Amino acid sequence: MTDATTLLAKLVSFDTTSSESNLALIEFVERYLADYGVTSERVMSPCGKKANLIARIGPPAPGGVMLSGHTDVVPVAGQPWSSDPFTLRDGEDGRLYGRGTCDMKGFIACALAMVPVWVKASLKQPIYFGFSYDEEIGCVGAPSLIKRFYEHYSTTAHVIVGEPTSMQPVVAQKGATNLRTTVIGREAHSSQVNQGTSAIHVAARLVTFIEDTMAALIEEGRVDEAFNVPHTSLHVGKIRGGTAINIMARECQFEWEIRHLPTESFDEIYARFEAFCAQLTAELQAKGKHVEMTTEPLNVTVPGLADRDNDRVLRLAKDHLPTACCHHAVAYATEAGQFQGQGLQTIILGPGSIAQAHQPDEYIEVTQLNACTAFMQRLGEALETPFSG
């Protein structure tokens, strides 16, 4: 049996930064599964350079569990790593260092390490693997994986998305959408401000409105104390515009995000911004000012995970975790809401801490890998009983 650490070293060695192909890693997993008689299916990306992977261990029976993880990782460029990010390093401090160790190749390694055990077990319910691409750039790959899984594999399996949660069940997450707004004004000499329209000044009013919208949502009482940021958050992360200090800027562009509570709608929140853009455009045009405002999404809206319809999968998890565990809500986005949107009971649960994700010298504690492997061992034993509906 190959242990999780050895498998993690192999998985980390593949540079699956979202800008790159993940096919070498997928091929490795396919060969590994085939060695144990497990067949798998690719669900290719439209460009043909990336793939999701679906596999089943056990009978084609109702119920069971889908263990879901993304294969891509965030970039390492510009980060001060102490060693090669794509070579697993044992720090001899109980930590294993490398890009993706906690987010989230550690979970995938634990699942793969259990394959030799599960293929020999008397499973009455199946264990599925669902490994996706391009989660880090907006959960792009998961929809095609989920569609294929639901239509051709199972409508009754429970889903555990193995993002790093320190092996504590997470039952809710915020949804997320990234946006880019471009404002076009009219250039003029800065001494003749009545002759032009500064795109920067207009954009500043939009940025202020975005922050004011967040404050308004709080004032309206739209909060959920389960989250450490207990409200929908709106944030502008990048802005650029103008060519010189004495020229009224023709163009200004900013990128921003909406992270909405799972009980709220992105469309309703964005509609407020859209209405303000229309109002501001009309106001400026009435004064003879030329202005254009356009906003485009940078990713598909990632739906939130709501704390509902999850009683069976949550009980399945908590029955096989230490008794001190309790469930949580998180602000970061995952593929869990996409699975829930397909009607599958879903929670988030995996080894490692989100505090280490995306950081230089990313690491996972060996104790977390061990805890995850022990959990999966008990989970497999639970699936040796028939599905009860």
Side-chain angles (χ1 to χ4, degrees), residues 3 22 24 60 97 103 131 143 171 175 177 276 292 299 303 317 345 351 355 379:
D3 65 22
N22 73 335
Y97 294 84
D103 187 18
F131 302 147
V171 297
T177 306
F276 181 75
E292 301 172 23
N299 65 304
Q345 289 204 16
L379 185 67

Side-chain angles (χ1 to χ4, degrees), residues 174 214 217-218 222-224 227 229-233 259 261:
K174 291 183 178 180
M214 180 168 62
L217 292 170
I218 298 169
R222 296 166 68 159
V223 298
D224 184 343
F227 292 89
V229 177
H231 54 81
T232 292
S233 61
R259 291 183 180 267
L261 295 173

Side-chain angles (χ1 to χ4, degrees), residues 6 26 29 38 65 72 94 96 103 144 149 197 207-208 224 227 239 249 271 277 291 314 323 338:
T6 302
I26 292 295
V29 175
V38 178
V65 173
D72 62 315
L96 301 171
D103 187 18
S144 61
F149 178 73
T197 307
V207 170
T208 299
D224 184 343
F227 292 89
I239 189 166
C277 287
V291 66
L314 183 58
T323 55
Q338 294 171 315

Side-chain angles (χ1 to χ4, degrees), residues 197-211:
T197 307
S198 169
I200 289 177
H201 286 208
V202 175
R205 294 180 67 177
L206 298 181
V207 170
T208 299
F209 178 81
I210 287 170
E211 186 174 25

Side-chain angles (χ1 to χ4, degrees), residues 88-263:
L88 189 71
R89 175 169 64 88
D90 186 344
E92 298 183 352
D93 53 2
R95 298 172 178 177
L96 301 171
Y97 294 84
R99 174 55 87 221
T101 47
C102 80
D103 187 18
M104 54 183 295
K105 291 178 177 179
F107 176 81
I108 295 174
C110 290
L112 293 176
M114 291 304 302
V115 171
V117 175
W118 287 336
V119 295
K120 296 178 181 178
S122 301
L123 296 175
K124 300 297 188 298
Q125 300 179 57
I127 297 171
Y128 298 97
F129 293 159
F131 302 147
S132 65
Y133 66 88
D134 282 0
E135 187 272 351
E136 295 289 6
I137 57 173
C139 300
V140 174
S144 61
L145 181 152
I146 295 166
K147 184 176 186 293
R148 180 67 181 175
F149 178 73
Y150 191 82
E151 293 179 353
H152 296 273
Y153 288 86
S154 178
T155 61
T156 57
H158 302 326
V159 181
I160 296 175
V161 177
E163 293 279 1
T165 68
S166 299
M167 292 306 294
Q168 295 286 311
V170 166
V171 297
Q173 65 159 79
K174 291 183 178 180
T177 306
N178 297 333
L179 304 149
R180 179 188 293 126
T181 296
T182 303
V183 179
I184 304 296
R186 176 172 289 158
E187 289 176 321
H189 194 285
S190 62
S191 67
Q192 306 297 310
V193 293
N194 60 331
Q195 295 181 8
T197 307
S198 169
I200 289 177
H201 286 208
V202 175
R205 294 180 67 177
L206 298 181
V207 170
T208 299
F209 178 81
I210 287 170
E211 186 174 25
D212 289 346
T213 299
M214 180 168 62
L217 292 170
I218 298 169
E219 290 174 4
E220 292 166 15
R222 296 166 68 159
V223 298
D224 184 343
E225 297 295 343
F227 292 89
N228 65 341
V229 177
H231 54 81
T232 292
S233 61
L234 293 85
H235 166 74
V236 178
K238 293 174 63 178
I239 189 166
R240 64 178 180 84
T243 55
I245 195 171
N246 60 350
I247 301 175
M248 298 181 73
R250 178 184 179 275
E251 180 176 339
C252 185
Q253 188 176 84
F254 60 90
E255 296 179 6
W256 56 294
E257 66 175 16
I258 298 175
R259 291 183 180 267
H260 63 278
L261 295 173
T263 51

Side-chain angles (χ1 to χ4, degrees), residues 8-14 81 83-90 96-99 101 362:
L8 180 58
K10 187 64 178 179
L11 295 174
V12 167
S13 73
F14 296 105
W81 282 77
S83 57
D84 178 4
F86 299 107
T87 299
L88 189 71
R89 175 169 64 88
D90 186 344
L96 301 171
Y97 294 84
R99 174 55 87 221
T101 47
E362 176 184 347

